[in-house]
């Protein structure tokens, strides 16, 4: 039987543990002792429950699944399986990886959801730690497979599931048929293998929809405390036009680095098996996204604190290295930095942090 260790017990991590266990894979779920609420609840009950209905909306993949181990012991977690799926905010990747390093072997494969250039950053951390003998394999996914939420400790709801999941394998020479077979078991939807973590980072569909729409709507988001549907209510004709211009900047950066990227609309239609004619139509009517009746309530939400420093800043840096202007991306970073009193140009994921030389 295949087994897996899930690192991170947030919305995506608990859902990953549930779905993979439901598919017959033995699961160890880990989180840091400081954030043990989910792990403690699941350890006590021995299972995760997925609701069939939530707030009057029908959910997917309902039922319960037994979890083999739920722990806050990182050594125990990494000894459980060579297959590791890290599902956490990008800012936590380095924190988790620092704790993981002493217990990792060259047999470990680390799937990162979402990657956001994480494979490059974690590989550089390994090199900086003077561990050349440690030949790790990093798999950067552009997102997570599920639209999901934790309802209460050990209880989730799954609103939707992507049709497939693009990902990269780094170093590329570690790609084997055995690895691909394992990934097809660990990722419960079809996969698409991209060239490298840079392409995977640029293909993340959160790029425009999250940080730009959140930035443009911050006044109403804060004043109404996020009590409405983000995708339907924050996307207007005008904001969709701005997002389209921002997407053109991303596509230009990708082209300068040799990638033929999907447009935001192409990606969303492909991932959710839909055929909307505009991004505006998708956000207003997507059957998956209209179920999520919530929105960011402040500038400290991950749509800003994760997507700006870990998606927009790398794009800006990749553009700058090729002499390309990305004024909307740059403006969004400046505004988000002003919102939170932080210079995301410095604290975000720079080429130096990714181990990429200026070209």
């Amino acid at each position: 039987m295949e087994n897996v260790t899930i690192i991170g017990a947030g919305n995506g991590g608990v859902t990953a543990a549930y779905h993979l266990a439901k598919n017959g894979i033995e699961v160890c779920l880990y989180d840091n002792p400081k954030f043990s609420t989910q792990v403690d609840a699941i350890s006590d009950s021995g299972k995760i429950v997925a609701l069939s209905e939530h707030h009057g909306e029908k959910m997917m993949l309902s039922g319960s699944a037994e979890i083999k181990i739920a722990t806050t012991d990182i050594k125990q977690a990494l000894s459980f399986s060579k297959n590791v799926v890290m599902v956490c905010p990008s800012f936590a990747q380095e924190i988790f990886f620092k704790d993981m390093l002493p217990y990792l072997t060259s047999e470990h494969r680390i799937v990162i959801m979402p990657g956001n250039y994480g494979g490059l950053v974690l590989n550089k951390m390994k090199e900086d730690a003077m561990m050349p003998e440690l030949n790790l394999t990093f798999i950067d996914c552009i997102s997570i497979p599920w639209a999901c939420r934790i309802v209460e400790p050990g209880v989730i709801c799954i609103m939707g599931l992507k049709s497939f999941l693009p990902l990269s394998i780094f170093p590329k020479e570690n790609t084997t048929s055995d690895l691909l077979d394992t990934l097809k078991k660990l990722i419960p939807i079809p996969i698409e293998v991209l060239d490298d973590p840079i392409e995977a980072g640029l293909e993340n569909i959160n790029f425009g929809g999250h940080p730009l729409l959140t930035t443009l709507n911050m006044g109403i988001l804060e004043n109404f405390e996020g009590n409405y549907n983000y995708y339907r209510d924050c996307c207007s004709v005008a904001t969709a036009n701005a997002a389209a211009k921002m997407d053109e900047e991303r596509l230009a950066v990708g082209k300068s680095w040799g990638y033929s990227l999907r447009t935001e609309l192409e990606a969303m239609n492909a991932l959710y098996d839909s055929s909307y004619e505009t991004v505006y139509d998708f956000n207003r009517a997507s059957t998956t996204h209209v179920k999520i009746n919530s929105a960011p309530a402040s500038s400290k939400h991950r749509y800003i604190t994760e997507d700006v420093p870990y998606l927009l800043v790398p794009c800006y840096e990749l553009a700058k290295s090729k002499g390309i202007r990305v004024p909307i991306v740059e403006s969004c970073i400046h505004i988000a930095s002003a919102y939170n009193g932080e210079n995301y140009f410095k604290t975000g994921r720079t080429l130096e942090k990714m181990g990429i030389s200026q070209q």
Side-chain angles (χ1 to χ4, degrees):
M1 178 183 286
E2 199 77 58
N3 57 27
V4 65
T5 291
I6 309 289
I7 303 291
N11 294 317
V14 175
T15 303
Y18 168 79
H19 198 168
L20 295 183
K22 196 172 178 66
N23 285 352
I25 295 174
E26 289 194 342
V27 173
C28 171
L29 178 64
Y30 166 85
D31 211 339
N32 187 286
K34 295 178 182 178
F35 305 100
S36 65
T37 300
Q38 299 301 324
V39 166
D40 291 343
I42 294 163
S43 180
D44 288 344
S45 68
K47 65 183 180 180
I48 297 170
V49 174
L51 302 179
S52 60
E53 186 178 297
H54 187 54
H55 288 169
E57 296 283 352
K58 191 167 185 176
M59 299 292 122
M60 299 179 63
L61 302 170
S62 61
S64 66
E66 293 185 6
I67 302 303
K68 189 78 172 178
I69 299 172
T71 182
T72 57
D73 183 333
I74 190 64
K75 182 178 181 180
Q76 179 187 26
L78 292 178
S79 65
F80 180 81
S81 178
K82 66 181 179 182
N83 303 315
V84 178
V85 177
M86 181 187 292
V87 193
C88 64
S90 298
F91 66 80
Q93 290 170 357
E94 290 99 323
I95 297 170
F96 276 132
F97 192 67
K98 185 178 179 182
D99 291 338
M100 292 163 63
L101 260 178
Y103 309 108
L104 290 170
T105 71
S106 295
E107 292 186 343
H108 280 101
R109 299 96 164 248
I110 304 175
V111 179
I112 312 172
M113 296 183 178
N116 293 350
Y117 311 91
L120 295 170
V121 174
L122 302 187
N123 186 66
K124 186 174 186 300
M125 286 180 65
K126 183 206 75 169
E127 292 177 349
D128 291 345
M130 305 294 188
M131 303 175 76
E133 74 289 348
L134 187 58
N135 182 23
L136 295 171
T137 303
F138 298 98
I139 297 93
D140 280 30
C141 302
I142 71 158
S143 184
I144 65 174
W146 316 271
C148 56
R149 291 288 186 275
I150 291 174
V151 177
E152 60 184 80
V155 180
I156 60 170
C157 61
I158 302 174
M159 289 84 73
L161 192 65
K162 293 180 176 65
S163 297
F164 68 103
L165 190 64
L167 54 81
S168 65
I169 299 171
F170 179 78
K172 201 169 185 177
E173 57 267 25
N174 287 2
T175 305
T176 62
S177 58
D178 173 65
L179 174 61
L180 292 173
D181 288 342
T182 298
L183 290 177
K184 290 173 184 176
K185 296 173 184 174
L186 298 181
I187 298 172
I189 55 177
I191 64 173
E192 175 187 78
V193 181
L194 304 174
D195 280 346
D196 55 44
I198 298 176
E199 184 179 16
L202 288 170
E203 285 280 26
N204 188 325
I205 60 169
N206 292 340
F207 178 88
H210 283 178
L212 184 62
L213 292 186
T214 305
T215 300
L216 294 175
N217 287 279
M218 188 52 65
I220 195 168
L221 287 168
E222 287 188 325
N223 288 335
F224 288 87
E225 299 181 341
N227 291 321
Y228 46 89
N229 184 283
Y230 175 76
Y231 296 94
R232 184 185 62 234
D233 299 331
C234 284
C235 185
S236 68
V237 172
T239 58
N241 287 342
K245 292 297 182 183
M246 190 180 196
D247 200 43
E248 289 176 7
E249 295 179 357
R250 177 185 65 89
L251 296 175
V253 174
K255 185 177 180 181
S256 74
W257 279 80
Y259 308 117
S260 179
L261 305 176
R262 291 182 175 93
T263 67
E264 182 182 6
L265 179 61
E266 288 170 343
M268 292 192 300
N269 275 333
L271 290 169
Y272 290 99
D273 194 24
S274 57
S275 55
Y276 295 101
E277 293 186 2
T278 67
V279 170
Y280 173 78
D281 291 337
F282 181 93
N283 281 323
R284 298 282 295 180
S286 167
T287 54
T288 294
H289 295 81
V290 296
K291 293 179 181 179
I292 308 172
N293 198 31
S294 65
S298 80
S299 62
K300 300 297 185 181
H301 191 274
R302 67 179 178 86
Y303 288 3
I304 295 289
T305 59
E306 179 173 21
D307 293 340
V308 170
Y310 297 98
L311 285 179
L312 298 195
V313 170
C315 182
Y316 167 78
E317 291 258 314
L318 292 167
K320 188 170 66 172
S321 74
K322 297 292 187 179
I324 295 174
R325 290 288 317 280
V326 285
I328 299 179
V329 169
E330 186 174 353
S331 297
C332 194
I333 300 170
H334 278 297
I335 294 169
S337 296
Y339 282 159
N340 290 332
E342 183 171 350
N343 186 348
Y344 287 125
F345 290 98
K346 289 186 177 179
T347 62
R349 210 153 251 185
T350 63
L351 296 192
E352 181 182 0
K353 291 173 185 176
M354 293 187 277
I356 299 175
S357 61
Q358 297 280 346
Q359 295 192 19

